Amino acid sequence: MDLSFLLSLYEDLVAAWVPTRHEWLRNRPFGRQLIAALGRHKMFSFCSYDFTFLHFGTSAEVLDHLAGTYSELVARGHMCWIPETTACDIAPSTVILSSKISAGVSIGEDSLVYDSSLSGRVRIGSQSIVVGVNVHELIKDTPQVISNTCFTLPDRHCLWEVPLVNSMGRVMVYCGLHDNPKLSIKRDGTFCGKPWRNVLEDLKIQDTDMWDSSNHDKCLWNARLFPITSPSEMLNVGMWLMGSGHDPDGEVSCMWRKSQRVSLEELHRSIDYHQLCTDSSKHQADIAATIAKSCMTNGLLGRNLFQLCEEMLVDNDSSLQVCKELLTYFPSHGDQYSGVLPQSRAYQVKMDLLRASGDLSTASMVEEKVWASVASETSSAVKYRSKEPSTNAMSSSNGNLHPKKAMVELPVRVDFVGGWSDTPPWSLERPGCVLNMAISLEGSLPVGAIIEATEDRHGVLIEDDAERKVYIDDLSSISHPFREADTFRLVKSALVATGILGHRILSKSGLKIRTWANVPRGSGLGTSSILAAAVVKGLFELMEDDASDDNVARAVLVVEQIMGTGGGWQDQIGGLYPGIKCTESFPGQPLRLQVVPLLASPQLIQELEQRLLVVFTGQVRLAHRVLEKVVTRYLRRDSLLISSIKRLAELANTGREALMNGEIDELGGIMLEAWRLHQELDPFCSNRAVDELFAFADPYCCGYKLVGAGGGGFALLLARSVSSADELRRALRESAAFDVKVYDWSVAMPR
């Protein structure tokens, strides 16, 4: 059998639904086909209580998966409470999920512990599985199988614990990892890895102790092995049956014979599945509460407290009290860790705890502090230069002010990959990288501003391309926060950020500011940030201040925080710097930006312009709401979001290398992965109309995505060839199913 073509339902099929695993899956047999067929679909899970069959053999398969070629995909610990490594002995390859491990416990190589609590002298062998088990110190007055009261699960064994219906108690079940419960004694069936005849001989028991004389198919499935008794007695009996303990006086075997016992067959009909799920949920709530307390006590809040609260609230009564208790840690918390714990993160945790505690009104007030902190942290990290002009600046020889005018026209940007890694607070705390391109639309630069100093009137006149205008004679009234419905809050925010309101230029003149953006509303082309860049650049030029692209880009970050919209640096970088560029940011004081233009050949630019369709979908997007959701998830330290954004930043560098090598097709694959990652970050960044457009374009394209945060606006469709691009353009024009517009565009090159 050719192993290179084997598929695994545990890895390959599931990975197709997880965008962050697509790079790994792409190198697997049929990986690309699985991604194409399943990548756009969502994965759901549910628990079925009515199945009437069992599947044996999966235990060994699970361990093979955890220790085999897929082990790099496996988290070694999740939702678990483990003491310091000097207090217990846990092998590095052990996987511990939803479990509490206390000091003194030892766990061997390649084992799995799930939904369990282990304390006292417990030894779990290698390649073993423990599920739903609570093992504590053995009670001293019960028969002991070994003198030091140490529970031992041998290598390659399974141990699990289940509740019974009608409050009959709980049963511990054990067997060998490779035992086949349906294989009879006559067919060399095994128990705990040993043939049944050896088991009976070693334990000095008769087959009639476990099977009726009329039973001709004696096997593990119908052997009445497992006693219903106290936890300590079940553990002692278990070690005796598994061969890890001794019974020199026959006390344990006597206790086993006298006890009520069940077989796997009877157990299957007697398990209280509802209680099993309830116990599991309460167990995880308890672990979550323990982790949350430790996280708060130790101070750095590195865990996702929102997720922990959700886990805790399964057990409402006690968890509400825990959430209220955690809130008491906050008064001195921020002062103690101000150098390493961002205030925005601390406020986010406090807001989540307040909501979990049911105090929604206070939570809403704290939420305002979250966003105020993000704005403050961004402003502190962004340093842009603003100098005071000389006394003679803008003055003629007779002291009169000369009218002065600044006109700024800018392209829009399309992003290939890397978006979200530029957005505060991510970019203030972690490296970011974005690959984007400045383009003109319909033969012109679509965004611009004209700013004039006027002698005939003081104050500020603002007007836009929709013929809306406002005149402000009282400059002190221009102060933030601005209302979200304020049509001119972008320009007002730029006036505040540049410092021109306190500049002596306005002591002798007024300002007239006219703006335009010849693109549809909600385009996703970075229009708002680029328009802010045009206004800021024009104001700096008028003030004879530093109007360099780097300085303007930094100032726009502050403008967006003043506006209250947030946003990163990629939009203004995309519009201010011409051509294709890969921009990296490095956190620090100040935030450092490094723009690296792509030295693309004329042939590459021409091919890209011929194969890439820039299409307005007709769907209006609102990036502000999407941004709030993504930033909130980051502040909560959502691990899936963090891994997705890291991957987007990695892909930006990969895309830069692809374009440098002239590999446009490779860029298409990167765009597809970026689009899937965006959908993972925000499931609502697409919609039915967009999905249908991409499905229609798929036969013609090697890649596609929405620009910006998604949700609508413009789409990029990268055709497989120039002829495919022409065919797709014609098909879209002739199709009555799509109300879209394909724009003429070109790369905005340096002038």
Side-chain angles (χ1 to χ4, degrees), residues 43-357:
M43 180 171 62
F44 300 92
S45 63
F46 69 98
C47 181
S48 175
Y49 298 98
D50 301 323
F51 285 171
T52 56
F53 65 89
L54 290 179
H55 177 197
F56 295 110
T58 54
S59 298
E61 291 177 22
V62 168
L63 286 188
D64 287 344
H65 157 65
L66 297 179
T69 56
Y70 313 107
S71 59
E72 74 274 7
L73 303 179
V74 178
R76 294 288 151 193
H78 174 69
M79 275 294 289
C80 52
W81 178 254
I82 306 174
E84 62 273 15
T85 54
T86 56
C88 56
D89 176 23
I90 299 177
S93 59
T94 293
V95 176
I96 301 176
L97 307 174
S98 302
S99 296
K100 187 173 183 178
I101 311 297
S102 299
V105 174
S106 176
I107 307 175
E109 297 283 345
D110 299 326
S111 290
L112 168 66
V113 178
Y114 172 67
D115 202 26
S116 298
S117 179
L118 306 180
S119 64
R121 294 176 56 79
V122 176
R123 303 290 181 267
I124 306 299
S126 298
Q127 300 178 58
S128 295
I129 296 179
V130 177
V131 177
V133 174
N134 290 277
V135 178
H136 304 284
E137 289 281 4
L138 301 184
I139 302 173
K140 302 298 184 183
D141 59 358
T142 58
Q144 302 300 314
V145 291
I146 48 179
S147 59
N148 62 356
T149 67
C150 172
F151 173 76
T152 301
L153 182 71
D155 292 349
R156 296 176 297 281
H157 275 65
C158 300
L159 173 68
W160 66 100
E161 183 179 347
V162 293
L164 302 177
V165 294
N166 301 324
S167 302
M168 293 172 57
R170 303 179 68 85
V171 173
M172 284 189 181
V173 184
Y174 24 80
C175 65
L177 180 65
H178 299 288
D179 290 341
N180 183 340
K182 295 294 184 72
L183 202 60
S184 67
I185 293 179
K186 296 177 181 179
R187 298 170 58 201
D188 297 323
T190 60
F191 173 62
C192 295
K194 295 190 297 185
W196 270 110
R197 298 192 185 281
N198 293 1
V199 172
L200 298 175
E201 181 179 340
D202 293 343
L203 297 178
K204 297 180 174 58
I205 59 178
Q206 305 297 319
D207 57 359
T208 54
D209 291 325
M210 293 178 290
W211 295 288
D212 296 332
S213 58
S214 59
N215 192 332
H216 299 293
D217 191 20
K218 300 171 183 176
C219 58
L220 176 56
W221 177 245
N222 50 36
R224 291 191 301 277
L225 272 170
F226 310 107
I228 304 174
T229 181
S230 70
S232 294
E233 290 175 340
M234 285 191 290
L235 290 173
N236 285 315
V237 169
M239 283 193 289
W240 170 65
L241 289 172
M242 290 184 288
S244 59
H246 304 287
D247 183 27
D249 300 326
E251 293 183 53
V252 177
S253 61
C254 181
M255 177 177 61
W256 175 75
R257 286 187 175 91
K258 292 180 179 179
S259 64
Q260 177 186 358
R261 288 173 278 125
V262 294
S263 65
L264 288 176
E265 183 178 22
E266 294 167 330
L267 192 62
H268 176 52
R269 297 191 296 265
S270 304
I271 294 176
D272 189 336
Y273 291 102
H274 177 75
Q275 187 64 44
L276 183 69
C277 294
T278 300
D279 291 345
S280 176
S281 296
K282 288 186 176 181
H283 172 73
Q284 294 191 40
D286 177 63
I287 293 176
T290 304
I291 294 173
K293 287 179 181 179
S294 176
C295 185
M296 294 294 297
T297 303
N298 296 324
L300 295 185
L301 306 183
R303 300 293 290 265
N304 187 338
L305 267 293
F306 175 76
Q307 183 184 40
L308 291 174
C309 286
E310 286 191 323
E311 296 281 355
M312 285 190 288
L313 289 177
V314 173
D315 187 10
N316 288 323
D317 295 336
S318 61
S319 297
L320 283 173
Q321 189 58 41
V322 171
C323 291
K324 292 176 182 178
E325 179 186 344
L326 293 175
L327 285 167
T328 63
Y329 288 88
F330 270 96
S332 60
H333 193 275
D335 297 334
Q336 187 177 0
Y337 299 102
S338 57
V340 290
L341 177 65
Q343 192 67 53
S344 56
R345 165 69 177 154
Y347 278 132
Q348 181 66 52
V349 171
K350 188 171 186 178
M351 184 187 77
D352 289 336
L353 289 174
L354 285 166
R355 284 184 172 167
S357 302

Side-chain angles (χ1 to χ4, degrees), residues 420 484 489 521-524 565 619-629 682 684-685 709-713:
W420 291 120
E484 188 173 343
R489 66 174 173 155
R521 179 175 177 268
S523 65
T565 57
Q619 306 290 308
V620 176
R621 53 176 291 284
L622 295 174
H624 178 48
R625 299 304 174 205
V626 177
L627 184 142
E628 282 184 354
K629 295 176 183 177
D682 175 30
F684 300 101
C685 72

